[in-house]
Amino acid sequence: MRRIKVKISAGSVRETDRLCSEAIESVHAAVAPHERVTSTAHRGRAGGRKATLTFEVSG
């Protein structure tokens, strides 16, 4: 199992949401079709401007 952690910090909540979506799409595009990806997201206390995405790739 591989674990990928992405930390995002942006100037606004909208920008953070956009960057999170792009990161999710990039990780899903990068793994092989037979691999399974599970993801979790956590928002920090900075008013939603910081986020940590954790992906676990297995298979």
Side-chain angles (χ1 to χ4, degrees), residues 8-16 19 46-50:
I8 295 173
S9 179
S12 68
V13 175
R14 179 176 284 170
E15 182 71 9
T16 300
L19 292 171
R49 293 179 291 118
K50 291 185 178 183

Side-chain angles (χ1 to χ4, degrees), residues 1 12 14 18 20 33 40 42 50 52 56:
M1 181 185 320
S12 68
R14 179 176 284 170
R18 188 184 67 77
C20 286
T40 57
H42 175 73
K50 291 185 178 183
T52 302
E56 292 183 357

Side-chain angles (χ1 to χ4, degrees), residues 7-54:
K7 290 191 175 191
I8 295 173
S9 179
S12 68
V13 175
R14 179 176 284 170
E15 182 71 9
T16 300
D17 290 341
R18 188 184 67 77
L19 292 171
C20 286
S21 296
E22 288 183 14
I24 291 168
E25 289 176 12
S26 296
V27 169
H28 281 275
V31 299
H34 67 275
E35 293 181 312
R36 184 169 170 246
V37 179
T38 57
S39 61
T40 57
H42 175 73
R43 293 271 180 166
R45 293 187 185 187
R49 293 179 291 118
K50 291 185 178 183
T52 302
L53 304 175
T54 304

